[in-house]
Amino acid sequence: MINSEFPVLQDSSNESGQGDTVSLSLSVSELEDTGEGKGKKKRGRPGRQQASNKKARKSPVDKGGRRPNGMAQQNGEGGDPSTLFEVVKLGKSAMQSVVDDWIESYKQDRDMALLDLINFFIQCSGCKGTVRIEMFRNMQNAEIIRKMTEEFDEDSGDYPLTIAGPQWKKFRYNFCEFIGVLIRQCQYSIIYDEYMMDTVISLLTGLSDSQVRAFRHTSTLAAMKLMTALVNVALNLSINQDNTQRQYEAERNKVAGKRATDKLELLLEKRKELQENQDEIENMMNSIFKGIFVHRYRDAIAEIRAICIEEIGVWMKLYSDAFLNDSYLKYVGWTLHDRQGEVRLKCLKALQTLYTNRGLFPKLELFTNRFKDRIVSMTLDKEYDVAVEAIRLVTLILHGSEDALSNEDCENVYHLVYSAHRPVAVAAGEFLHRKLFSRHDPQAEEALAKRRGRNSPNGNLIRMLVLFFLESELHEHAAYLVDSLWDSSQELLKDWDCMIELLLEEPVQGEEVLGDRHESALIELMVCTIRQAAEAHPPVGRGTGKRVLTAKEKKTQVDDKNKLTEHFIIALPMLLSKYQADAEKVANLLQIPQYFDLEVYSSGRMEKHLDALLKQIRVVVEKHTESEVLEACSKTYSILCSEEYTIMNRVDIARSQLIDELTDRFNHSVEDLLQEGDEADDDDIYSVLSSLKKLTAFHNAHDLTKWDLFKNCYRLLKMGIEQGSMPEQIAVQALQCSHYSILWQLVRITEGSPSKDDLVALRRVVKSFLAVCQQCLSNVNTPVKEQAFMLLCDLLMIFSHQLTTGSREALQPLVFNPDNTLQSELLSFVLDHVFIDQDDENQSMEGDEEDEANKIEALHKRRNLLAAFSKLIIYDIVDMPAAADIFKHYMKYYNDYGDIIKETLSKTRQTDKIQCAKTLILSLQQLFNELVQDQGPNLDRTSSHVSGIKELARRFALTFGLDQIKTREAVATLHKDGIDFAFKFPNPKGAEYPPPNLAFLEVLCEFSSKLLRQDKKTVHSYLEKFMTEYMMERREDVWLPLIAYRNSLLTGGDEDRMSVTTGSTTSRASTVRSKRGRPPLHKKRTDADESVDGSWVMRNDTIQTPGGLQTPQLTSTVLRENPRQAAEHIPEQDSSEPGSEPDYIHNPQMQMSWLDQQKIEDVNRKERGGMNYMKARSGGVRQQVRGLMEDDAEPIFEDVMMSSRGQLEDMNEEFEDTMVIDLPPSRNRRERAELRPDFFDSTAIIEDDSGFGMQMF
C-alpha cells in the first residue's frame, strides 16, 4: 500500500560529507544494470544501502553538476542548465538522455535522485522554494508542502503551465514527455522497488490536494501522465502474460517424451513474476485514480478537470479491457454536464476515440443508452466547437449502430444543416449524408452503377434530397442545405446530368412522377449547386467572407464551371421551354447564365444555342409580368451583353428589338389611356401596366435613355395628380421608371463632358419630378406615398452638395436643397408612417389576415423609410434640429428602430457636437411640452411619463462618452438651453409661484455628471441669474426640481448646497474635505481665476441666448428657413425675441460655442483649464480631486450611470447597452471616469454566456 507521507529515509553511506550532492551519468541507463532487476524488496521502510556497492561520486566542483536540492550551481561555463527543471525547460537534450542520467543518479544514491525529482515538480509549479535534504529526512509530506506554499511568489498568478508563449508551450510538452519516458525506462525494475513510485505518488497526491492552484494543476497533470505511462506498462505486462500462458499451454500439451520440464518451470516462474508485477502496477494505478483523479475531475479549475477527462479517455482507448467499463465511463458521462465548454469538448473528443472503434460498441452499449439524450442535446450547445464535436460523435454512434438513435434524435440533428455557423452545418451535413445518402447494399449499388441519368444510383438519392428539403418546413434556404452537404456529398450534388434528365425526360412505367412542388424544389437546389460550384465559397450569411482559394481549389472551380457550362448551354433553353409558364421555376432557371463561361458560345460554335436561349427569354418576357421574372430576364440580358465577349452584338440586337416592341406598345397604350380618361377599361389599364412593368425592370439594368420613357411616365403621373384616378400600381411603376431615367441621364453627364444645355435640361427634369413626388406624398394610396418618399430621399441624396465633390464643380447647377416646406412634409410622413402604435398596425392587419412574416416585412419597410430620412439628416441635407422628432422616440420604439436612431445620433455628433447637443435638449423639450399639454402645468413628478423623459435624458447623457474635454462645450450649451427653457415663461400668478417649465430642471439633472468641475460653476452662475432671493428660500415640493438641479451643479464644488429639509445652507461637505487635507494649491487660487470663471456668465449678458423652441402639435423643427439661405433672410435684431427660434437660427453668435465666446476673451484661462486637467491625471491635482470626491458615498453604479438606486434595476432591464462594471477600488471620481465605457456604444455590450442551449440561427 502506498503511504500518504514520504518514506522515512535512512542515512545511506553519506559519511564522507558529500551527501548533499548528486551527479548524473551521461550514458548509463537502468537497463544496463542487471543486478537491480533480480529481486524485489518488501514494501515499507527502505533498508540502508551498502557503501561497498556504491560508486564514488565526484564533487560539484569536479563535475560542474547540479546541487541535489535543485538550486542552481554556478560553474565555470555559466551557461549550462544546472537543474532538472532547467534541462526540461530548455529542451536541448534528448529526453531519453535526460532520463538515463537521472536513472544513473538514482542507482548511485536514490535519496538524492528522488530529492532532485521532487524539486523538479516543485519548480515546475512556479514555486521559488527548494526542498533540502534535511527537510526531506525530517519533515512530513504535509509539512513540506506547507513550507513550499509559504515560499510561493504571490506577485503573479502565472506559473509555467499557464504562461503564454512558444517557450512555455514547449515546456509543457517536454514536461509530459519526461514523465512518460521516465516510466518507460524504469518499467523493468525501478518502479517495483517499492520506494521510487511510493515517494512520487505520495508527493503528487499531497500537491494535488493543495489549495494553491499551481501545485494542484501541475501535480494533476503529472499524475495523469504518470497514470497513462503506467497503463502502457500494464498493457505490455498483460500482453506478455498472454504470450507466456500460450507458451506454457503449448509446452504442457506436448507428449511426455518431448515435454521440457525445465522450460515449464521457467515459464511458470515467469508467469508468476509477471502477475506480481501486474498486481504492483494495478496497485499504483488505483492509488493515483482514487487519490487524485476522483477528487480532481471535479476541481474548481476547468483546466484541471479537462486534463483528467482527456487522460481517462486515453486509458480507455489504450487498455479497454481494464478501463472501458461503466465504473470509469460514468465519470465522462457526468462531466458531459460541465459548465465550461472546454471540459465538455474534452469529454466529446474522448468519446469519439472510443466510438471510432466499432469493436468497442458492445462495451459502450449501456453508456450510450444512459447518456445518448445528453449527447444529442449538446448538438445545440452554446459553444460552437462543442456543438460540432457533439454532432460528429452522434454521427459515429449512427455509423456504429443505426438502431441506437431514434427518429426524433436524428431530426434534432437534421435541422442544423440550416445553421448560420458553417462548421456546425457541415458536421450536420455529414450526419445527414451518413443517414440518408449512404448506400448500404453493395450488390444493388453494383447493379445501379451501370445505369446513367435518372436511373443511376444518384437518381433515387436526388429524389430523397428533394423530399428532405420539402419536409424542412421551418427552413427554406436551399443554398444553406447545399453548402452543408457540399463537402460530404459533392459527387451527388454535381450530378447535373441526372437532375436534367429528372426534369426533362418523361418517367418510365412504374417510376414515380415528380410533382410540381418537387420540380420547383429540384430546380432551386440545382441552381444552388451551380452557384456553389462556380463561386467556390459559402453563401451569404455563412462564413466570414471570400477566402483565397488554393491552386487545387482554383483548378476544381475552373473544371466545374466548364462542366456546368457544357451541360446547361444545351439544356437551359429546353428547360425554359418546358417551364416557361411557371414564374417561380423560370426565375430560378434564369439565374444560371450568370455562372456560364460565355466564351464557350463562340469557341465551341454554339451560337445556335445562344439564339435558342434569347428566343426563350423573349417568350418569357412576353408571358410574365412578375417583377422577379422580369428582373431575372433583365439581368440575363445585361450579363450576355458584356463588352468583353464576342456575342455582345448578337445579344444587343435581340435586346433592342425587344425594347422597341415594348416601347411602342407602351406609348400606344398611354395615348389610349389618356384619351379615354375616366372611361378607360381594365384592358387599357392592364396594357399600360404590363408594358410599364417590363420597361421599368429593364431600365434598372440597361440605359434606355434614347427611348425617352420619362415623357410618358411624367404624363401619367400628372394625370393621376390632377384627376386623382390613376391606379396605384401604374403610379408606383411610373415613379420608379422616371427615377431610373433620371439616374441614367446623370450617368451620361458625369461620364462625359456635358454642355450647359444638358445641365439645364436635366435640372428641369429633376425639378419637375421632385415636385411630382412631393405632391404624391399626399396621395390616398399608401404604396404611392411610400414610393414617392423613398425616391425623394434618394434623389435629394444624389443631387445634394456632395455631387460637386471630386473635381465636379461643373455639376453645381444640378444641386438641389430642400426648402422648409419639403423638409416639413418629409418629417411629417416619417412621424405618420414610421412611428405608429403596434395596436393600430395590428388592427390594420387583422382585416388582411397578415401572418407573422408579413408583420416582419412591414417592419422592414418602415425601417427603410426611417433610414432614408436619417441619411438626409446625417449628410446635412435636412437641418439637424429636425432630428429632435426622431430622437424623442428612442425609448418608445427602441426594439424596432433603436439601432437606426443610435447611429443617426452618433453620426450627427461627429458632424457638429454643439448642434447635436441642442437637438437632444430640443427633443426633451418637445416631450416635456407634450406632457404639459396633456396633464396641465402641475405635473406629477412621480408619474411614468416624467420618469420616461428622465430615462431618455439619462440615455442621451450616456452618449457623450467618457472624454469630457471633447464634449465640454456641447454639454455646457445643452445646460444653457435647458435653463433658458425652464425660466423662459414667468408664472402668470406672480413671481412667488414657480415658472411653468421649472420641472424641466429635474430632467436637466441627468446631464450634470457630464460637466467638468469648472464648467459646473459657470453653469451654476448662469442659473443664479434667473433665481431671485425668494426662489433660494423656497423649499416646497414645487421648487424641488430647482433645488435638485442646483445641488447637482454644486457636487464637488466649494459652494454651499441648498438643504431640502431645513431650508438652510450648510458647508458640511467642504468641512469634511478640509479634514482630509485639501492641497494648498486649491486654497491659493487667485482672484483672477475666480473672475475668469465668473466672466463666462457676465460676458453672456450681452449675448442673446437661445431659449427653448416652440413645440407645435406635430413638430417644431421643420417650418423654418434653410441655413444655407439664411443670409438672404436675416431679420432685424428687434424683430425676434431673444432666445426665440428665429434668433436661434439666424444669429451667427448662436452658431458659435457658448464656451468659445468666453475663451476668446481670456485665452490664458483656457490654457490653464487644459493643463489642470492633464495634471489631474498624473500630478498633485490628483490629490486635490480625490479630496473633493472621497466624501461622496454614492455607489459606483450611480456614479457611472447617474441614476438613483430605485431606477438602476429598471434601467438594466430595459436598456440593453448597459453593463455591469467591475471597477478598481479607487474612489477617485476622475480616475473612475476614465474607465467608464460608452454605454450607448454597441461594442460595449457584454453578452451573457451563462445560458445553455443558445439558438444557433
Side-chain angles (χ1 to χ4, degrees):
M1 178 177 179
I2 296 177
N3 298 324
S4 60
E5 304 294 341
F6 290 129
V8 179
L9 301 182
Q10 303 294 322
D11 189 5
S12 55
S13 302
N14 289 331
E15 292 84 5
S16 64
Q18 298 179 1
D20 287 348
T21 61
V22 63
S23 61
L24 297 181
S25 171
L26 297 178
S27 60
V28 182
S29 69
E30 180 213 1
L31 297 177
E32 295 172 350
D33 188 357
T34 59
E36 276 292 313
K38 291 182 178 179
K40 294 188 298 178
K41 299 178 182 178
K42 294 183 179 180
R43 186 178 299 276
R45 185 185 297 266
R48 181 187 300 271
Q49 289 182 328
Q50 299 296 325
S52 60
N53 293 333
K54 294 189 61 175
K55 298 181 180 179
R57 290 180 285 109
K58 296 182 180 180
S59 66
V61 178
D62 294 336
K63 281 195 71 174
R66 305 194 292 271
R67 291 184 184 271
N69 58 10
M71 296 297 291
Q73 170 69 37
Q74 299 294 334
N75 51 40
E77 300 292 331
D80 295 336
S82 55
T83 65
L84 191 58
F85 168 71
E86 293 177 352
V87 172
V88 173
K89 172 185 172 184
L90 294 177
K92 294 182 178 179
S93 303
M95 209 56 63
Q96 179 85 29
S97 175
V98 175
V99 171
D100 288 344
D101 291 348
W102 185 88
I103 292 175
E104 179 61 26
S105 174
Y106 184 83
K107 292 175 182 178
Q108 294 178 13
D109 189 341
R110 64 182 186 180
D111 296 342
M112 307 311 297
L114 276 177
L115 184 62
D116 202 13
L117 187 60
I118 291 170
N119 279 309
F120 168 71
F121 289 121
I122 296 295
Q123 292 176 353
C124 287
S125 301
C127 180
K128 293 182 178 179
T130 303
V131 180
R132 302 185 181 275
I133 189 65
E134 296 82 5
M135 299 166 58
F136 192 25
R137 289 172 179 168
N138 303 322
M139 297 176 65
Q140 297 295 324
N141 185 11
E143 295 175 342
I144 293 177
I145 295 176
R146 189 183 310 113
K147 181 68 174 177
M148 293 299 100
T149 302
E150 293 173 356
E151 299 185 18
F152 224 94
D153 179 16
E154 298 181 358
D155 296 337
S156 173
D158 293 332
Y159 50 94
L161 292 184
T162 60
I163 300 176
Q167 177 187 5
W168 296 106
K169 184 177 180 181
K170 181 180 179 183
F171 164 78
R172 181 188 178 102
Y173 173 80
N174 292 340
F175 176 77
C176 299
E177 183 186 11
F178 172 79
I179 295 174
V181 174
L182 177 65
I183 300 301
R184 187 174 71 241
Q185 292 298 96
C186 297
Q187 66 178 315
Y188 298 107
S189 63
I190 291 182
I191 62 174
Y192 305 113
D193 67 359
E194 300 180 352
Y195 182 69
M196 178 259 202
M197 291 301 294
D198 284 9
T199 304
V200 172
I201 294 175
S202 179
L203 170 72
L204 295 179
T205 303
L207 289 175
S208 69
D209 198 37
S210 171
Q211 293 184 353
V212 179
R213 170 178 173 171
F215 279 152
R216 218 164 60 249
H217 189 179
T218 307
S219 61
T220 301
L221 176 61
M224 295 300 102
K225 293 298 180 181
L226 185 66
M227 180 79 165
T228 302
L230 290 175
V231 168
N232 280 303
V233 174
L235 183 61
N236 291 333
L237 288 173
S238 177
I239 294 173
N240 290 333
Q241 278 185 287
D242 293 341
N243 293 336
T244 303
Q245 182 66 26
R246 283 196 300 270
Q247 293 175 7
Y248 176 80
E249 295 292 340
E251 189 67 27
R252 192 180 63 176
N253 292 333
K254 291 181 179 179
V255 295
K258 296 183 179 180
R259 185 184 304 162
T261 306
D262 295 340
K263 185 175 181 181
L264 285 175
E265 293 178 356
L266 184 63
L267 288 173
L268 281 175
E269 183 179 353
K270 182 179 180 181
R271 186 177 66 178
K272 181 179 179 181
E273 181 183 356
L274 289 173
Q275 183 60 45
E276 291 177 352
N277 290 344
Q278 184 80 5
D279 295 340
E280 286 287 328
I281 296 297
E282 290 179 359
N283 185 24
M284 298 175 194
M285 292 192 298
N286 284 331
S287 299
I288 296 175
F289 188 84
K290 294 178 180 179
I292 299 177
F293 177 89
V294 170
H295 302 287
R296 298 280 70 80
Y297 90 96
R298 52 185 179 181
D299 194 278
I301 304 302
E303 293 90 337
I304 297 177
R305 303 197 300 272
I307 290 171
C308 295
I309 296 303
E310 182 179 15
E311 293 305 315
I312 196 175
V314 176
W315 309 338
M316 294 175 182
K317 179 183 178 183
L318 291 177
Y319 199 1
S320 60
D321 291 339
F323 288 96
L324 191 56
N325 55 62
D326 298 331
S327 298
Y328 295 97
L329 280 170
K330 65 183 180 182
Y331 295 105
V332 181
W334 292 341
T335 316
L336 288 171
H337 297 270
D338 195 278
R339 61 183 178 273
Q340 293 296 329
E342 62 177 306
V343 183
R344 300 195 298 272
L345 189 64
K346 293 294 183 183
C347 291
L348 294 171
K349 289 189 174 180
L351 292 173
Q352 285 177 11
T353 59
L354 302 178
Y355 280 97
T356 302
N357 186 352
R358 300 191 66 176
L360 301 179
F361 265 77
K363 296 183 178 182
L364 292 166
E365 183 177 359
L366 183 60
F367 175 85
T368 304
N369 294 333
R370 170 65 179 82
F371 293 101
K372 178 199 64 175
D373 292 341
R374 172 58 184 160
I375 295 172
V376 172
S377 69
M378 291 177 72
T379 60
L380 293 174
D381 197 278
K382 64 178 182 178
E383 301 285 346
Y384 286 129
D385 292 341
V386 177
V388 170
E389 299 303 328
I391 297 171
R392 290 175 179 170
L393 179 57
V394 173
T395 305
L396 289 174
I397 295 174
L398 175 70
H399 182 61
S401 174
E402 292 191 5
D403 298 333
L405 297 176
S406 64
N407 291 334
E408 183 179 358
D409 296 332
C410 296
E411 289 172 1
N412 289 334
V413 183
Y414 288 161
H415 75 276
L416 294 177
V417 296
Y418 297 102
S419 170
H421 190 262
R422 191 170 191 271
V424 172
V426 171
E430 294 175 357
F431 177 86
L432 180 64
H433 173 78
R434 176 77 64 179
K435 179 67 176 177
L436 298 183
F437 304 139
S438 295
R439 307 181 186 95
H440 306 292
D441 188 352
Q443 295 180 353
E445 179 181 353
E446 183 178 356
L448 289 172
K450 301 177 182 179
R451 304 179 184 179
R452 299 181 59 82
R454 63 188 304 125
N455 296 322
S456 67
N458 287 336
N460 291 328
L461 298 180
I462 291 175
R463 290 188 180 92
M464 193 179 300
L465 176 62
V466 170
L467 185 62
F468 172 82
F469 177 60
L470 291 176
E471 290 180 351
S472 304
E473 297 177 355
L474 298 178
H475 306 283
E476 299 178 355
H477 304 286
Y480 275 20
L481 175 59
V482 169
D483 180 57
S484 301
L485 292 169
W486 193 252
D487 293 343
S488 55
S489 309
Q490 200 167 128
E491 179 185 356
L492 170 67
L493 298 177
K494 288 182 181 179
D495 193 350
W496 294 305
D497 274 340
C498 181
M499 297 181 188
I500 292 172
E501 289 189 18
L502 284 172
L503 291 171
L504 290 179
E505 294 185 5
E506 295 298 328
V508 297
Q509 185 176 3
E511 185 181 8
E512 184 179 356
V513 180
L514 286 178
D516 182 69
R517 291 180 64 243
H518 294 76
E519 289 179 335
S520 297
L522 177 55
I523 290 175
E524 187 175 358
L525 289 169
M526 181 177 68
V527 172
C528 291
T529 61
I530 292 171
R531 187 211 64 80
Q532 187 89 5
E535 296 183 353
H537 64 78
V540 176
R542 181 180 281 180
T544 56
K546 296 182 179 180
R547 62 181 180 87
V548 179
L549 301 179
T550 63
K552 182 178 180 181
E553 290 173 335
K554 288 181 179 178
K555 183 178 184 302
T556 302
Q557 180 188 18
V558 172
D559 294 343
D560 289 343
K561 197 167 186 177
N562 291 333
K563 179 182 175 182
L564 71 89
T565 302
E566 293 173 0
H567 280 86
F568 287 96
I569 273 184
I570 300 173
L572 183 58
M574 294 185 287
L575 290 170
L576 288 174
S577 176
K578 180 176 180 179
Y579 298 109
Q580 58 182 279
D582 192 313
E584 181 183 2
K585 296 184 180 67
V586 168
N588 277 320
L589 290 172
L590 286 174
Q591 297 180 34
I592 297 177
Q594 62 182 302
Y595 305 112
F596 282 175
D597 179 8
L598 297 179
E599 289 291 350
V600 174
Y601 275 117
S602 54
S603 61
R605 299 185 179 277
M606 294 185 174
E607 288 84 356
K608 63 177 182 179
H609 298 293
L610 174 62
D611 294 336
L613 175 62
L614 295 175
K615 178 181 178 182
Q616 292 301 324
I617 295 177
R618 179 163 184 155
V619 172
V620 170
V621 172
E622 293 289 339
K623 287 191 173 183
H624 292 277
T625 58
E626 295 84 359
S627 58
E628 295 82 5
V629 177
L630 296 176
E631 288 173 2
C633 294
S634 175
K635 185 176 181 180
T636 303
Y637 270 115
S638 178
I639 293 169
L640 297 176
C641 282
S642 299
E643 296 180 357
E644 54 185 305
Y645 301 112
T646 56
I647 61 174
M648 191 267 289
N649 291 331
R650 185 187 296 262
V651 179
D652 184 51
I653 294 174
R655 179 187 60 180
S656 298
Q657 292 175 350
L658 176 61
I659 299 300
D660 285 338
E661 183 178 340
L662 292 176
T663 304
D664 291 341
R665 191 183 308 163
F666 172 66
N667 292 335
H668 288 96
S669 300
V670 170
E671 293 295 338
D672 295 341
L673 182 64
L674 294 178
Q675 290 179 3
E676 296 182 8
D678 296 338
E679 299 178 358
D681 55 13
D682 293 340
D683 293 338
D684 296 330
I685 295 176
Y686 176 80
S687 178
V688 173
L689 181 59
S690 64
S691 56
L692 182 55
K693 274 187 174 182
K694 296 170 184 177
L695 289 172
T696 301
F698 274 86
H699 212 346
N700 185 13
H702 304 268
D703 184 5
L704 307 183
T705 306
K706 63 180 181 180
W707 282 275
D708 193 16
L709 299 177
F710 180 82
K711 179 180 178 182
N712 280 330
C713 289
Y714 185 74
R715 293 173 62 192
L716 288 173
L717 293 172
K718 290 296 292 182
M719 186 192 78
I721 294 172
E722 294 172 356
Q723 300 180 4
S725 59
M726 183 61 63
E728 68 175 43
Q729 283 298 318
I730 292 181
V732 169
Q733 294 297 325
L735 286 169
Q736 191 67 61
C737 187
S738 302
H739 176 66
Y740 291 148
S741 178
I742 291 174
L743 295 184
W744 279 111
Q745 293 182 53
L746 178 62
V747 169
R748 284 195 171 190
I749 288 179
T750 54
E751 291 179 351
S753 299
S755 63
K756 185 177 180 180
D757 294 339
D758 295 334
L759 294 176
V760 171
L762 180 56
R763 177 177 177 83
R764 184 166 53 249
V765 169
V766 175
K767 185 176 181 180
S768 60
F769 183 67
L770 290 176
V772 168
C773 289
Q774 185 174 354
Q775 291 174 322
C776 288
L777 291 178
S778 58
N779 196 290
V780 295
N781 296 317
T782 300
V784 176
K785 290 190 290 187
E786 292 177 349
Q787 182 73 20
F789 177 84
M790 292 297 296
L791 296 181
L792 271 173
C793 293
D794 289 346
L795 289 176
L796 289 175
M797 277 291 300
I798 295 170
F799 291 94
S800 65
H801 51 87
Q802 301 185 31
L803 184 64
T804 59
T805 58
S807 304
R808 294 198 298 260
E809 292 79 4
L811 301 181
Q812 180 62 38
L814 297 180
V815 174
F816 284 88
N817 297 317
D819 56 17
N820 291 338
T821 303
L822 180 55
Q823 292 187 36
S824 176
E825 291 186 16
L826 291 174
L827 180 58
S828 300
F829 181 88
V830 171
L831 298 178
D832 293 339
H833 293 81
V834 175
F835 299 105
I836 57 177
D837 294 334
Q838 191 68 25
D839 294 338
D840 297 340
E841 181 186 0
N842 290 340
Q843 290 176 2
S844 63
M845 288 185 173
E846 285 175 0
D848 299 332
E849 297 181 357
E850 295 280 350
D851 56 5
E852 191 65 27
N854 289 335
K855 291 181 182 179
I856 296 175
E857 183 65 26
L859 175 60
H860 180 67
K861 184 182 296 183
R862 295 197 302 272
R863 286 173 56 85
N864 286 338
L865 296 175
L866 178 60
F869 183 73
S870 298
K871 285 191 294 184
L872 300 180
I873 298 173
I874 292 172
Y875 289 97
D876 197 26
I877 298 169
V878 170
D879 297 333
M880 191 182 298
D885 289 280
I886 306 298
F887 295 159
K888 70 182 183 182
H889 291 99
Y890 177 75
M891 290 290 297
K892 185 177 181 181
Y893 294 93
Y894 179 80
N895 292 333
D896 293 340
Y897 316 118
D899 55 337
I900 298 176
I901 298 176
K902 185 189 302 183
E903 185 68 14
T904 303
L905 178 55
S906 174
K907 295 297 184 182
T908 52
R909 176 172 286 115
Q910 294 175 16
T911 303
D912 190 337
K913 292 184 179 66
I914 296 177
Q915 188 72 12
C916 180
K918 287 177 172 288
T919 305
L920 290 179
I921 198 66
L922 179 60
S923 65
L924 295 172
Q925 292 170 9
Q926 291 179 7
L927 289 175
F928 185 84
N929 285 337
E930 292 173 4
L931 188 58
V932 170
Q933 291 176 5
D934 293 340
Q935 298 185 2
N938 298 323
L939 295 179
D940 181 7
R941 296 170 49 248
T942 62
S943 66
S944 60
H945 299 285
V946 176
S947 299
I949 299 177
K950 291 173 63 178
E951 179 65 19
L952 180 60
R954 184 177 300 113
R955 307 293 177 86
F956 286 164
L958 295 175
T959 66
F960 284 97
L962 306 178
D963 195 339
Q964 292 179 308
I965 295 296
K966 289 183 179 180
T967 60
R968 179 183 184 185
E969 297 168 353
V971 175
T973 304
L974 182 146
H975 278 272
K976 182 175 179 294
D977 287 1
I979 294 172
D980 292 338
F981 176 77
F983 292 95
K984 181 176 182 181
F985 302 107
N987 197 309
K989 297 181 181 180
E992 64 274 11
Y993 292 94
N997 295 340
L998 187 68
F1000 186 75
L1001 293 179
E1002 193 168 4
V1003 177
L1004 203 58
C1005 288
E1006 303 297 338
F1007 297 94
S1008 297
S1009 63
K1010 296 302 179 180
L1011 284 169
L1012 291 177
R1013 179 176 167 274
Q1014 56 266 40
D1015 293 344
K1016 285 185 177 181
K1017 295 183 61 179
T1018 305
V1019 174
H1020 180 261
S1021 300
Y1022 187 75
L1023 174 65
E1024 288 184 332
K1025 289 171 53 180
F1026 296 89
M1027 296 175 57
T1028 63
E1029 294 182 3
Y1030 178 82
M1031 293 181 182
M1032 294 183 181
E1033 297 174 356
R1034 296 294 91 197
R1035 296 296 179 267
E1036 292 82 1
D1037 288 347
V1038 293
W1039 296 96
L1040 286 181
L1042 175 61
I1043 298 173
Y1045 181 59
R1046 186 170 185 267
N1047 285 342
S1048 70
L1049 297 177
L1050 297 179
T1051 301
D1054 297 333
E1055 297 81 354
D1056 297 334
R1057 299 190 183 186
M1058 299 177 66
S1059 173
V1060 180
T1061 58
T1062 64
S1064 61
T1065 58
T1066 177
S1067 59
R1068 176 184 57 82
S1070 59
T1071 302
V1072 175
R1073 285 190 289 270
S1074 64
K1075 289 180 181 179
R1076 299 186 181 181
R1078 179 177 299 167
L1081 176 63
H1082 179 66
K1083 292 183 178 180
K1084 295 181 180 180
R1085 290 185 63 191
T1086 62
D1087 294 339
D1089 292 336
E1090 298 292 343
S1091 64
V1092 169
D1093 287 339
S1095 68
W1096 291 19
V1097 179
M1098 299 302 295
R1099 173 69 175 172
N1100 218 296
D1101 290 342
T1102 62
I1103 301 176
Q1104 296 177 350
T1105 58
L1109 305 186
Q1110 297 293 334
T1111 308
Q1113 198 71 14
L1114 173 65
T1115 178
S1116 64
T1117 60
V1118 294
L1119 297 176
R1120 68 182 196 290
E1121 302 221 298
N1122 192 322
R1124 286 180 289 272
Q1125 302 170 355
E1128 304 175 5
H1129 303 284
I1130 295 179
E1132 296 295 333
Q1133 186 163 346
D1134 295 338
S1135 63
S1136 63
E1137 177 186 354
S1140 64
E1141 183 174 0
D1143 177 65
Y1144 168 72
I1145 297 170
H1146 301 303
N1147 192 341
Q1149 291 181 341
M1150 294 303 100
Q1151 307 303 322
M1152 184 185 299
S1153 166
W1154 183 38
L1155 297 178
D1156 280 341
Q1157 297 168 9
Q1158 315 307 319
K1159 293 175 184 176
I1160 293 175
E1161 179 180 353
D1162 194 341
V1163 178
N1164 293 331
R1165 181 191 173 282
K1166 170 187 174 183
E1167 296 175 349
R1168 274 197 301 276
M1171 291 302 295
N1172 287 341
Y1173 174 76
M1174 298 304 296
K1175 291 177 181 177
R1177 300 179 65 179
S1178 58
V1181 181
R1182 181 183 296 276
Q1183 299 297 327
Q1184 171 189 352
V1185 177
R1186 183 178 294 112
L1188 292 174
M1189 296 300 180
E1190 281 185 345
D1191 65 289
D1192 189 357
E1194 291 180 325
I1196 290 178
F1197 274 114
E1198 292 194 3
D1199 178 30
V1200 174
M1201 303 182 184
M1202 294 310 296
S1203 64
S1204 64
R1205 295 184 181 179
Q1207 294 169 331
L1208 176 61
E1209 183 177 355
D1210 293 339
M1211 183 181 68
N1212 286 336
E1213 292 177 355
E1214 295 174 4
F1215 187 33
E1216 298 176 358
D1217 291 353
T1218 59
M1219 68 186 210
V1220 178
I1221 304 172
D1222 186 10
L1223 293 179
S1226 171
R1227 300 181 63 189
N1228 185 332
R1229 285 288 188 90
R1230 180 66 58 83
E1231 293 175 351
R1232 291 203 302 257
E1234 295 174 3
L1235 298 173
R1236 300 174 195 161
D1238 186 354
F1239 294 72
F1240 215 72
D1241 186 0
S1242 60
T1243 59
I1245 300 177
I1246 294 183
E1247 297 181 356
D1248 180 16
D1249 61 352
S1250 60
F1252 178 77
M1254 181 181 294
Q1255 292 185 357
M1256 317 270 313
F1257 26 75

